[in-house]
Amino acid sequence: MISRLLLHASESKKLEHTVSRSRLTRGLVKRYVAGNTLDDALAVTAALKKKNIDVSLDLLGESVTDLIESERATKEYVEAIQAIPRHVPGSTISVKPSQLGMLVDKDACARNLSVLLAAAAENDVLVEVDMEQSAVGPSTLEAYRALLPKYTDTRVAMQAAVRRTQDDLESFTEHKPRIRLVKGAFKETLAVAVQDKDEVTYRYLKMSEWALANLPDPAFGTHDDRCINHVKATAERLGVDRRNFEFQMLYGVRRKLWTELVQEGYRVRIYLPYGTAWYPYLMRRMAERPANLLLFMRSLVGG
Ligand code: FDA
């Protein structure tokens, strides 16, 4: 119930205005976001790399309503792509199609995505496509499918909670996708996605088995011990080497576990957001952990 309220709040422009101006939210933002600029993100990335932890850079911003904004985001992403080989090789970028204009003009979004992928290929950087709310999910997959034959290493996030995900996964026949399996962070109807947390986890476990058995280099985006332990045990049972898949986690969540996994010989990549448009991202993080609700309410009252 609380989670759904917070997810609802993540879409409210009025609340965004209040929360973004509150000084008390800053501590929360700092926990989950590297900073306002690319340089802030590169500094955090370099520090993580020293601990053998990789990063995927996420320029904050989503659901843009005009194409100028989407072109600006594309340009900023190209800057990040060009900085990676020089400063933090091995890092990837994570992009949200709605930030590249998917809700305004699908063709423009596809063009922006092509620009990013071409720049990424030139700089030897891999791109990960985030999966957003169901209003953009099918078009995201369509765009990904069209680009996959040319950019075969591109990763796409797939949401275990969403009912069509397993069918979508099996629909890739010629080129197998590299995926990031996640539970799903968006508010969806019962028709689109499973809502019961245990059922979502069960689906995650089943899909992780399928991914390890059928897909190249899968990534598992989760902080849930049940999912992580299941992935480890399944990989062991199937004889998949620890270096042939990776765990991904969000910056600010379960830091100790990152180093523990690295010490056990697993690959770990941290999803690292930067930029000023942090409101919807932060609200989804709050929804995942209602214990943060008190902090958040204080930031509203105090702000
Ligand atoms: P669960 O929510 O059960 O959390 C397990 C434990 O992790 C909690 O008990 C708590 O200890 C800790 N935890 C989880 N979230 C926390 C938080 N916000 N703050 C503090 N502690 C927390 N979703 C999506 O729809 N599309 C996408 O593209 C992505 N991309 C993505 C990338 C990466 C690298 C990750 C890790 C996650 C995503 N997600 C996502 C988000 C994902 O769908 C999901 O909402 C979160 O990962 C939370 O689910 P868990 O699997 O961690 O389990």
Side-chain angles (χ1 to χ4, degrees), residues 4 132-134 159-165 183-196 199-200 203:
R4 283 191 77 77
E132 302 172 272
Q133 65 274 31
S134 55
Q159 299 153 322
V162 170
R163 294 184 192 279
R164 54 178 281 175
T165 294
K183 286 187 182 175
F186 293 84
K187 178 168 64 81
E188 300 291 357
T189 62
L190 198 54
V192 170
V194 167
Q195 313 283 329
D196 179 74
E199 203 181 338
V200 174
R203 289 168 65 85

Side-chain angles (χ1 to χ4, degrees), residues 31-32 129-132 157 159 180 182-186 197 221-224 226 248-250 252-254 269 271 284-286 288-289 292:
R31 170 173 175 177
Y32 292 101
V129 181
D130 288 354
M131 189 59 74
E132 302 172 272
Q159 299 153 322
R180 172 204 301 151
V182 297
K183 286 187 182 175
F186 293 84
K197 278 192 124 212
T222 181
H223 321 91
D224 185 342
R226 283 166 302 177
Q248 296 193 348
M249 294 188 209
L250 302 175
V253 182
R254 303 208 62 189
R269 186 178 299 278
Y271 184 99
R284 288 197 294 277
R285 302 300 71 89
M286 296 298 98
E288 283 154 6
R289 192 161 182 264
N292 284 338

Side-chain angles (χ1 to χ4, degrees), residues 210-228:
W210 192 87
L212 278 165
N214 293 286
L215 299 179
D217 188 28
F220 300 97
T222 181
H223 321 91
D224 185 342
D225 284 330
R226 283 166 302 177
C227 299
I228 292 168

Side-chain angles (χ1 to χ4, degrees), residues 233-292:
T234 306
E236 187 85 27
R237 178 168 59 80
L238 297 176
V240 179
D241 191 273
R242 288 176 190 202
R243 309 305 294 171
N244 287 345
F245 61 94
E246 75 183 21
F247 289 111
Q248 296 193 348
M249 294 188 209
L250 302 175
Y251 185 64
V253 182
R254 303 208 62 189
R255 286 164 193 264
K256 214 168 128 242
L257 184 59
W258 310 346
T259 22
E260 283 168 12
L261 288 168
V262 167
Q263 277 159 10
E264 289 169 28
Y266 294 103
R267 281 162 47 201
V268 175
R269 186 178 299 278
I270 300 306
Y271 184 99
L272 185 70
Y274 67 97
T276 50
W278 45 259
Y279 174 79
Y281 179 85
L282 183 74
M283 294 305 283
R284 288 197 294 277
R285 302 300 71 89
M286 296 298 98
E288 283 154 6
R289 192 161 182 264
N292 284 338

